[in-house]
Amino acid sequence: MRAKAFVAAGLALAAMAAQADTRWDLPTGYPAGNLHTENLQQMANDVEKATGGKLRIVLHPNGSLLKANEIKRGVQTGQVQMGEVLMSTLANENPVFGVDAVPFLATSYTDAYKLWEASRPVTEKLLDKQGMKLLYAVAWPPQGIYANKPLNSAADMKGLKWRAYNPATSRIAELVGAQPVTIQAADLAQALATGTVNSFMSSGATGVDTKVWESVKYFYTVDAWLPKNMLVVSKKALAALDKPTQDALLKAVADAEKRGWQVSEQKTRDYLSTLSRNGMTVQPPSAQLRTDMQKVGQAMVADWAKRAGDDGKAILDAYQK
Ligand code: PCA
């Protein structure tokens, strides 16, 4: 009898220990070798190590669990605990999310980081109201123009079949007379291969991820903006963790944010060399193309400022300080 009770108590304890181990799902829309995905994986490894396996974060790359445009809702509804989202895809919901994709507002890593510091408080508040905590944001390398033919001015972009990834890139297409089609990164290689699109704006990173040289031969380093991916967590899921586990997670994400910005900047040049090495023409835009794109940018900044109202003004004031 005594032995039996002892065994029962032992089993109960084991069950408790098993329950204490938490497994979280973390979907992202970008592939395994991508700089953001590698950074997330390292963050997950750090958390597992720091918590002795108590919190295990399982990464689901390339839209394999949820498509890129389903991830935010997935976190909000509790389908997954964490998710990575390209912030500017949410610009129609609130223009604040789109500040990092306004052309020529912040075109270097230093300025992009400054803009992030200026916009972080408002962004955090918006997500908090939706039941999410913003954990970090990391910039993509600067955005340039990919095309299947040489471009010397915006006039050459007329009629291009233009892949868009957010409202801003759709708007650019409209302003230059191209035809926008929204396609997430995971479907880009296919869309290029089938000729659904023949041009787009993005970073060298995404060009390399999608082996873009198999379809297009030109990349113009316009450096028009540096959009960011953000990592968000469900506040409910976070609150369910014990304090030491929460602390370990917050430490790992702070490290990841710092590392992410550094790696993104460091790798920028490597991506461009990879594009060249694979036979692409990689060059700065002509003076005409640059001027034309800057005009597009001016129209878009004015429009953004109007739509973003007081929040937008606060961000711009803090950024320009
Ligand atoms: N790559 C992502 C977003 C920005 C970038 O550089 C993409 O093209 O979908």
Side-chain angles (χ1 to χ4, degrees):
M1 202 57 189
R2 279 235 308 271
K4 249 191 184 163
F6 185 75
V7 168
L11 284 175
L13 265 177
M16 269 171 66
Q19 247 173 35
D21 279 355
T22 304
R23 190 198 120 130
W24 278 6
D25 288 310
L26 165 51
T28 172
Y30 304 99
N34 177 269
L35 75 101
H36 296 283
T37 313
E38 286 181 346
N39 195 36
L40 287 172
Q41 186 59 61
Q42 179 157 357
M43 179 278 298
N45 296 347
D46 289 350
V47 169
E48 189 160 348
K49 213 163 134 199
T51 63
K54 252 178 115 177
L55 176 58
R56 198 157 73 86
I57 298 170
V58 181
L59 192 53
H60 302 275
N62 218 26
S64 56
L65 182 63
L66 293 174
K67 301 267 172 231
N69 60 354
E70 299 167 345
I71 293 175
K72 181 186 170 231
R73 175 177 288 272
V75 178
Q76 234 178 320
T77 57
Q79 197 179 350
V80 292
Q81 296 78 15
M82 289 179 119
E84 188 191 40
V85 180
L86 177 62
M87 210 183 273
S88 58
T89 57
L90 310 175
N92 283 341
E93 183 189 310
N94 191 312
V96 163
F97 290 125
V99 70
D100 63 9
V102 176
F104 304 108
L105 186 57
T107 62
S108 66
Y109 277 90
T110 306
D111 284 352
Y113 193 75
K114 237 176 112 187
L115 183 59
W116 173 221
E117 285 183 307
S119 52
R120 185 170 195 146
V122 191
T123 310
E124 279 177 348
K125 209 159 54 186
L126 288 172
L127 292 163
D128 183 78
K129 276 194 219 146
Q130 302 182 347
M132 286 171 285
K133 181 174 169 64
L134 191 151
L135 293 175
Y136 75 58
V138 169
W140 287 88
Q143 307 290 292
I145 305 178
Y146 288 95
N148 66 341
K149 60 167 199 183
L151 302 177
N152 291 307
S153 67
D156 292 338
M157 296 165 73
K158 221 176 162 146
L160 285 175
K161 291 191 266 177
W162 178 269
R163 174 261 177 166
Y165 65 73
N166 64 5
T169 48
S170 295
R171 182 71 187 133
I172 290 174
E174 285 167 16
L175 290 170
V176 301
Q179 298 158 27
V181 191
T182 298
I183 294 168
Q184 295 308 329
D187 304 316
L188 178 56
Q190 166 91 353
L192 287 164
T194 56
T196 305
V197 294
N198 55 23
S199 55
F200 61 104
M201 285 187 80
S202 189
S203 59
T206 290
V208 171
D209 283 349
T210 56
K211 295 196 167 65
V212 72
W213 50 84
E214 291 177 358
S215 306
V216 304
K217 299 291 173 210
Y218 298 89
F219 184 60
Y220 296 99
T221 52
V222 183
D223 295 351
W225 69 90
L226 288 78
K228 294 184 300 293
N229 280 0
M230 63 177 175
L231 177 63
V232 294
V233 63
S234 143
K235 284 202 290 180
K236 218 165 141 190
L238 185 63
L241 301 175
D242 60 30
K243 184 74 168 58
T245 307
Q246 286 181 3
D247 290 347
L249 175 66
L250 295 180
K251 162 84 169 66
V253 299
D255 291 348
E257 176 155 27
K258 212 163 171 202
R259 181 175 63 234
W261 280 83
Q262 279 165 2
V263 169
S264 178
E265 182 165 13
Q266 279 161 14
K267 286 193 166 178
T268 297
R269 212 152 12 116
D270 302 343
Y271 294 128
L272 299 185
S273 329
T274 303
L275 298 180
S276 304
R277 208 162 2 95
N278 284 282
M280 290 185 69
T281 301
V282 177
Q283 58 186 39
S286 69
Q288 186 63 56
L289 182 58
R290 167 165 294 281
T291 311
D292 290 349
M293 292 309 289
Q294 275 165 345
K295 261 191 215 141
V296 166
Q298 276 158 17
M300 289 177 65
V301 183
D303 182 52
W304 182 87
K306 207 158 80 194
R307 280 182 299 116
D310 290 346
D311 279 346
K313 192 174 175 313
I315 291 173
L316 292 182
D317 287 350
Y319 172 55
Q320 277 146 5
K321 226 180 24 210

